[in-house]
Amino acid sequence: MSHGVSAVDMSLTNLVLSPLCPSCSIASTILRDGKELSPDLLIFHCLGPAARLGTVAEYRRNANACSVCAVVLQEFVAQAAFNHQEPPDDDDTIEIVYTTYLRHWTLELAHPTMPGNAKSTSLYLDLVRFVDQNVSASSPLGPFENEMWAIPILDDAIDFDRMRGWKSHCDANHQGVCHGIQDVWKHIEPADELFLIDVHDLRIARRPGSILYLALSYVWGVEDTPLVATTSIIHELLKPGSLSLGSSIGSRLPKTIRDAMTVTSQMGYRYLWVDRICIVQDDYLHKQYQLSSMAAIYANAAVTLLACHGDESQGLPGLDPSVKRPRHSIFTLPGGARLLFNAPKQLGEPYQPMGVHDYRSRGWTLQEETLSRRTLSFNNHQVSWKCRKMRCFEIYDDSRQVKDNRTSSTEVVLLQPFPDIYTYGHLAVNYTKRFLTYEHDSVNALSAIIAAFSRPMEGGMLFGLPEVLFEGALLWQSSFPPLQRRGTRSIAPSWSFLGWTGGGLDVGIWSELYSIWGRIAAEQLMYFRSNTRLIPCVEFFKLGSGTDARTAVRSSYLAKHRKDPSAKDLQWCSHSVSLPSKPLVADLCNWQPLLVFKAQRCHIAAGDTIPNDKPKQCVEISLQGEDGELVGGMRLNEMQHAHLSGRRLELIALSKGVTSDPRTTVVPELRVIHAGCPKPCVFPPNCKAEKRFVPYEYYNVMWIGWNGCIAYRNAIGRVLGSYWDSLDPEEVEITLG
């Protein structure tokens, strides 16, 4: 079927959209008046009040006559292409939603047959009502009194008074949350000493890490000659004036760093931390200390400046008034409602693919942004502020947005006395999609987030996996697009997600196994409850750097102890784990990227591809017994493994598992096992699956390959427990790299 829409003139920034079809007239009235949705239009939506406007098929039919239908369809088609998603289907519906937490209106594309939150396609248009000369920003807005309103950005130069106002509000109202933090869990101790750029004396200065300073997070460029601090010039950099524009050293400063120095001064600060200038790049001990202090450096910066547009050669947008900034699209609906299309592009322009020099495509910038308490983001179209309690945007009216309107942030959730595996997993998924210039940075570029997450856990982290939850942490899988192994220069092992890049990471099993069920505050214990249970059958050992001495991985949540006090033998089982009363210091021991353990091994044939109703997913295959029967399943990591049918795979058992919920999405073979069951199947009395699969008891297995005497991970799967045991598997010693 064709997914095209009628051409619409998008050459103007201010568009007048008329005439409208009946569906868009309803939306126009809602957006013009801000009135409560009438009961006959109201539908359930998890984000706020919503109304269904029509199907994609209806919008396509109306596109020739209705300018709004044409614009909306064109944007959804462009977004889908940009996100590598299927184009909008005729049966998809378009809904208008007042997004409560963002406080503005959104047009969203939804799958009508999917339940609850799953119906979202992640395709949406943010529409912000516009303040003009005829409307007061303080006028009532019906039931949505806190609705954000847009204001025009008329100047190409940014307004430092507004930025200082955002910071001043935070200074005055967020004591103990964004600054002056006393809670030991939400505070990270500053570094002992830092090199900082002194923007007054235009030099590098050695100062204690507790001094007030700004930090810069940016993308390095590809130029050969930009200034970096080295042992040969650090003494020159300490001299006053060495960073002045006219000096031989200072003239080599990239434009973004020069602009950041201007912002530092304009915001009322004297010191700025920039990795290129403040880390002595060829001093190994100094560099290692700085890398281990990344969490402290960004968490203790008074404000972190995020250079979100381009690399370091392009400067901060809005600092050079001679360079025009792109304008947001503003369009007018019949009746006078004016809306701002809140996206860094003009309506009708294609979405530009994220390149290797885009800020949020780079590996290092994830931890820098995540751990900063307060940020100023410089995008090509606007400046925005974010702290633990407030978000402010240059396009929004300050009388409505300068409020304590944030309830949480990733950094706050990460810095707590309980390991939040869901938040950490979300960050891990984000990280594997990002680029690194040097593959050997794959561990260091996430080290600050790893250090922050490890603070409440005995044993800390081993190459990004929490030791206390190690058996389950090993079971991450690939998503779409498929992951690929990092290059040979990466020090990260194949059994850690840090050793993979370029695609989607699925850590749904982490949440499945370790969803937070409770914390016994009086005893400082943590425990989990899940429909999927894990039983270890392997004891893992790690190796210290430069030694063959083995140290047991401290997987204390699933440990051997007497489940029954009268039992003679120790058993593997889960139990509550003690939590520390204060943050633990990260384990800085350098471990080899190797696991040593004894495991059971079998060879089992790969079967056919498991059907998936989601068109863009990794290949999932069945595992077959000697008679061709289904005995398990596996999601493949890499596309080159997609044609395996009939090939015998070398599998090792990592742990046992029991799944009591056939609806879980992390076990693909359940779709085959329960294919004949009512939807959704919740086991007896209506379950039609073979009894041997109810409940599904299996071994978590790893398909391995070999590089000399070192095994490496190909993929994770499951084999029916009774079948695995019937094969009389052999026990082998594995060194997994």
Side-chain angles (χ1 to χ4, degrees):
M1 94 182 76
S2 171
H3 295 283
V5 296
S6 300
V8 178
D9 182 5
M10 298 295 176
S11 59
L12 299 176
T13 301
N14 197 349
L15 304 171
V16 178
L17 300 180
S18 180
L20 303 181
C21 67
S23 292
C24 293
S25 294
I26 293 172
S28 176
T29 301
I30 293 169
L31 292 166
R32 183 187 67 220
D33 300 333
K35 290 182 177 179
E36 233 175 290
L37 300 175
S38 60
D40 59 317
L41 293 175
L42 196 63
I43 61 172
F44 169 78
H45 198 289
C46 61
L47 298 180
R52 179 183 176 279
L53 298 178
T55 66
V56 169
E58 291 168 342
Y59 269 66
R60 286 197 174 107
R61 286 196 297 269
N62 295 332
N64 288 327
C66 175
S67 51
V68 171
C69 285
V71 168
V72 169
L73 277 180
Q74 189 160 354
E75 284 301 311
F76 282 143
V77 169
Q79 277 192 35
F82 176 72
N83 294 337
H84 305 289
Q85 294 177 240
E86 292 296 309
D89 188 76
D90 279 349
D91 293 332
D92 292 342
T93 61
I94 293 173
E95 300 170 355
I96 183 169
V97 187
Y98 181 75
T99 311
T100 306
Y101 78 100
L102 293 175
R103 298 189 291 144
H104 61 63
W105 293 91
T106 298
L107 291 184
E108 184 176 277
L109 192 73
H111 293 307
T113 58
M114 299 294 285
N117 297 348
K119 70 180 184 179
S120 174
T121 62
S122 302
L123 301 178
Y124 56 87
L125 278 67
D126 286 337
L127 301 173
V128 187
R129 293 206 288 157
F130 202 85
V131 177
D132 58 26
Q133 296 176 344
N134 300 319
V135 182
S136 168
S138 60
S139 64
L141 289 170
F144 309 120
E145 295 180 357
N146 292 321
E147 181 181 347
M148 289 289 197
W149 277 30
I151 58 174
I153 299 176
L154 302 176
D155 295 326
D156 291 309
I158 57 177
D159 184 349
F160 279 108
D161 285 338
R162 286 191 73 192
M163 293 173 9
R164 286 189 287 264
W166 299 336
K167 186 189 80 72
S168 295
H169 180 89
C170 180
D171 289 343
N173 296 281
H174 301 165
Q175 176 73 22
V177 178
C178 299
H179 50 85
I181 300 165
Q182 301 300 315
D183 186 328
V184 295
W185 286 101
K186 292 184 170 54
H187 173 70
I188 295 178
E189 287 296 317
D192 293 334
E193 185 179 79
L194 296 173
F195 282 132
L196 297 167
I197 297 176
D198 184 335
V199 300
H200 290 183
D201 291 347
L202 299 177
R203 67 184 182 102
I204 296 297
R206 185 183 278 112
R207 295 290 182 266
S210 57
I211 201 169
L212 286 174
Y213 64 91
L214 269 56
L216 176 65
S217 177
Y218 65 109
V219 176
W220 282 41
V222 294
E223 297 179 19
D224 296 330
T225 57
L227 179 65
V228 293
T230 61
T231 52
S232 63
I233 66 167
I234 187 63
H235 295 295
E236 289 297 317
L237 290 171
L238 292 169
K239 297 178 181 178
S242 60
L243 295 179
S244 63
L245 189 58
S247 70
S248 59
I249 293 178
S251 62
R252 293 163 53 201
L253 267 181
K255 192 172 189 301
T256 293
I257 298 177
R258 181 74 61 190
D259 286 349
M261 293 168 64
T262 300
V263 174
T264 300
S265 180
Q266 287 284 347
M267 295 297 290
Y269 292 90
R270 180 168 182 170
Y271 297 106
L272 172 68
W273 188 89
V274 182
D275 57 359
R276 178 184 283 282
I277 311 299
C278 300
I279 298 177
V280 183
Q281 301 291 329
D282 59 351
D283 183 333
Y284 177 79
L285 292 179
H286 180 262
K287 188 172 183 177
Q288 288 304 115
Y289 173 74
Q290 294 290 298
L291 291 175
S292 68
S293 301
M294 281 293 173
I297 289 169
Y298 283 97
N300 286 284
V303 181
T304 298
L305 310 178
L306 310 184
C308 298
H309 178 64
D311 65 28
E312 62 186 353
S313 66
Q314 295 178 264
L316 298 178
L319 267 290
D320 185 349
S322 66
V323 178
K324 290 190 176 296
R325 290 192 288 169
R327 298 287 189 257
H328 288 78
S329 291
I330 301 164
F331 52 95
T332 304
L333 297 173
R338 299 180 70 208
L339 303 173
L340 181 140
F341 174 53
N342 189 17
K345 62 181 282 295
Q346 295 291 298
L347 272 166
E349 288 181 349
Y351 286 80
Q352 297 299 319
M354 190 173 287
V356 296
H357 294 296
D358 286 305
Y359 180 82
R360 290 187 174 88
S361 74
R362 301 300 299 174
W364 283 96
T365 58
L366 176 64
Q367 64 182 13
E368 296 165 3
E369 180 178 10
T370 298
L371 290 170
S372 297
R373 291 174 292 159
R374 310 196 296 185
T375 63
L376 267 176
S377 300
F378 293 81
N379 293 283
N380 68 330
H381 62 298
Q382 68 167 327
V383 179
S384 61
W385 166 275
K386 181 174 71 173
C387 64
R388 290 177 174 179
K389 294 289 289 181
M390 184 175 72
R391 294 198 72 172
C392 298
F393 298 85
E394 199 176 358
I395 61 163
Y396 289 156
D397 175 57
D398 279 351
S399 67
R400 292 190 178 278
Q401 72 171 340
V402 183
K403 297 178 180 179
D404 306 331
N405 50 37
R406 294 189 81 203
T407 57
S408 65
S409 66
T410 301
E411 179 236 3
V412 171
V413 173
L414 202 62
L415 301 179
Q416 61 177 350
F418 192 98
D420 185 342
I421 195 73
Y422 177 83
T423 298
Y424 179 69
H426 175 75
L427 292 167
V429 169
N430 191 330
Y431 182 68
T432 58
K433 296 177 181 178
R434 296 181 174 226
F435 300 100
L436 288 170
T437 302
Y438 304 107
E439 293 289 0
H440 60 255
D441 286 337
S442 58
V443 176
N444 286 333
L446 199 67
S447 61
I449 286 175
I450 291 171
F453 180 68
S454 69
R455 300 194 312 159
M457 291 187 295
E458 294 284 352
M461 308 282 279
L462 186 62
F463 288 95
L465 303 184
E467 285 202 24
V468 69
L469 308 174
F470 196 70
E471 285 83 7
L474 280 172
L475 302 180
W476 57 268
Q477 300 182 98
S478 187
S479 183
F480 187 85
L483 293 166
Q484 54 189 346
R485 276 292 277 139
R486 292 192 184 275
T488 55
R489 292 183 177 274
S490 172
I491 63 171
S494 66
W495 45 266
S496 168
F497 67 89
L498 293 174
W500 299 77
T501 186
L505 173 69
D506 183 351
V507 291
I509 187 64
W510 294 1
S511 297
E512 188 110 348
L513 291 169
Y514 306 123
S515 294
I516 297 175
W517 178 253
R519 171 173 172 246
I520 309 172
E523 300 182 50
Q524 289 290 302
L525 301 174
M526 71 170 181
Y527 61 98
F528 304 94
R529 183 172 177 176
S530 171
N531 289 322
T532 299
R533 188 161 56 93
L534 204 63
I535 305 164
C537 57
V538 167
E539 190 167 11
F540 296 99
F541 295 89
K542 54 189 178 181
L543 303 177
S545 181
T547 177
D548 292 330
R550 300 182 179 187
T551 302
V553 174
R554 290 172 284 183
S555 181
S556 50
Y557 179 66
L558 293 165
K560 268 187 176 179
H561 66 288
R562 288 182 176 83
K563 190 174 183 180
D564 181 349
S566 63
K568 293 182 179 180
D569 298 325
L570 296 175
Q571 298 177 349
W572 286 107
C573 52
S574 61
H575 66 290
S576 300
V577 176
S578 297
L579 290 169
S581 58
K582 61 182 180 179
L584 300 174
V585 177
D587 180 5
L588 298 180
C589 180
N590 291 320
W591 300 102
Q592 296 184 48
L594 300 172
L595 289 175
V596 179
F597 55 95
K598 292 181 179 180
Q600 293 182 350
R601 177 173 65 182
C602 287
H603 290 78
I604 297 177
D608 296 329
T609 300
I610 296 174
N612 195 331
D613 56 0
K614 296 181 179 180
K616 291 197 173 181
Q617 291 292 317
C618 283
V619 175
E620 296 168 330
I621 62 170
S622 62
L623 298 174
Q624 292 182 343
E626 296 298 327
D627 298 325
E629 76 277 19
L630 175 76
V631 297
M634 176 178 293
R635 184 185 296 173
L636 303 180
N637 273 31
E638 300 183 274
M639 289 304 293
Q640 57 260 44
H641 294 147
H643 306 290
L644 292 172
S645 185
R647 176 176 165 184
R648 294 180 65 79
L649 309 180
E650 183 176 357
L651 306 177
I652 56 173
L654 301 178
S655 57
K656 296 179 181 178
V658 181
T659 296
S660 58
D661 185 352
R663 296 166 295 181
T664 178
T665 60
V666 297
V667 183
E669 61 268 26
L670 287 175
R671 295 200 299 274
V672 179
I673 293 170
H674 294 275
C677 300
K679 302 291 190 269
C681 176
V682 288
F683 285 144
N686 298 318
C687 180
K688 307 298 183 183
E690 294 181 57
K691 290 184 178 179
R692 64 187 180 133
F693 289 111
V694 182
Y696 186 26
E697 299 183 7
Y698 52 84
Y699 283 89
N700 289 301
V701 297
M702 180 183 288
W703 171 31
I704 59 171
W706 292 90
N707 184 4
C709 60
I710 305 297
Y712 58 86
R713 166 188 164 138
N714 280 325
I716 291 289
R718 290 145 304 280
V719 175
L720 182 66
S722 58
Y723 180 78
W724 181 273
D725 292 335
S726 73
L727 296 176
D728 193 21
E730 63 174 329
E731 186 176 71
V732 293
E733 179 156 309
I734 298 290
T735 300
L736 188 65

